[in-house]
Amino acid sequence: MSSDNPETRIRILDATWKLLEASQGQGVRMSDIAREAGISRQAVYLHFPTRSELLVATTRYLDDIKGIDQRLALSRETENGVGRLDAFIDAWGNYIPEIHGIATALLAMKDTDRAADLAWNDRMQAVRHGCVAAINAANNDGSLARDLPVKQATDILWTLLSVRNWEQLTRECGQSQAQYIETVKRTARRTLLDGPRSD
């Protein structure tokens, strides 16, 4: 079997996605994925030589299916700091509920599962990249808080947008998704910016 077969690759990715969400962090073996996809384990390894590669590819596949680039377009096109910050919070904050199932699985697995840890860190570094861009926009137009170094501001924004914080505010505190977005925006503006703020 060729490793270039895109249909088989998609079946593997879909199976991995489904099993990760269903597992709730109980671990997903290559043999489980092969069975779910209706192929041999050898066929899975032809497409994805390691489990780490498969889990990373699955999270990126999910981003493609759910149109993450289109969601981030406004943030990427906005040059002023406040606008870019708000647009990035909208894009990522509203994406969290859609990927929460796979995020929950990876978070539960990552401390004892190297492949899950690599997949989670790969996606979180992508989120951090967006945080860097938003903070740099604020720094460039002079709206970043004057006493706040760029790296520290990035760290704060990245932490505000964590999946765990989304869970705390929506699941534990009972905020609606709209309230969560407004809470994060207001907190980010007041913590990170010196420029005019509209609440």
Side-chain angles (χ1 to χ4, degrees):
M1 175 181 290
S2 169
S3 62
D4 296 328
N5 187 332
E7 183 181 330
T8 302
R9 180 182 174 88
I10 289 171
R11 283 167 60 191
I12 295 167
L13 292 170
D14 280 334
T16 308
W17 175 7
K18 178 181 176 181
L19 289 174
L20 281 172
E21 288 196 333
S23 75
Q24 297 184 351
Q26 296 305 305
V28 177
R29 300 170 302 178
M30 295 295 255
S31 57
D32 300 326
I33 293 162
R35 188 179 311 109
E36 179 68 30
I39 59 175
S40 69
R41 198 167 74 147
Q42 180 185 8
V44 175
Y45 280 108
L46 281 172
H47 287 269
F48 301 98
T50 69
R51 190 163 166 277
S52 298
E53 290 177 66
L54 174 54
L55 293 185
V56 169
T58 301
T59 59
R60 293 182 179 184
Y61 172 67
L62 184 58
D63 285 348
D64 289 342
I65 291 293
K66 293 188 173 289
I68 192 63
D69 285 335
Q70 292 86 353
R71 293 167 185 256
L72 290 168
L74 179 60
S75 175
R76 291 170 176 165
E77 294 164 3
T78 303
E79 294 184 9
N80 73 81
V82 177
R84 184 150 194 169
L85 182 67
D86 280 356
F88 185 69
I89 291 169
D90 274 328
W92 173 248
N94 284 313
Y95 189 46
I96 293 173
E98 296 187 38
I99 52 94
H100 185 249
I102 201 166
T104 299
L106 293 175
L107 278 167
M109 294 159 59
K110 74 183 194 70
D111 288 343
T112 57
D113 186 323
R114 176 72 175 146
D117 187 49
L118 287 170
W120 178 254
N121 286 333
D122 177 74
R123 293 297 77 208
M124 290 306 98
Q125 287 306 311
V127 176
R128 186 177 178 86
H129 180 77
C131 293
V132 169
I135 295 301
N136 281 338
N139 190 46
N140 291 340
D141 72 9
S143 60
L144 185 67
R146 286 177 289 277
D147 61 346
L148 198 56
V150 167
K151 182 186 180 301
Q152 186 178 353
T154 301
D155 293 342
I156 292 168
L157 180 58
W158 195 38
T159 301
L160 282 174
L161 288 170
S162 74
V163 171
R164 292 299 194 206
N165 283 341
W166 177 84
E167 290 176 343
Q168 186 75 14
L169 287 170
T170 61
R171 300 290 174 87
E172 300 297 325
C173 300
Q175 289 194 7
S176 68
Q177 182 64 21
Q179 289 172 325
Y180 159 77
I181 292 293
E182 187 54 36
T183 295
V184 176
K185 282 183 180 179
R186 186 182 299 114
T187 303
R189 292 189 209 125
R190 289 176 173 169
T191 305
L192 304 173
L193 304 180
D194 270 342
R197 306 174 185 113
S198 58
D199 292 335

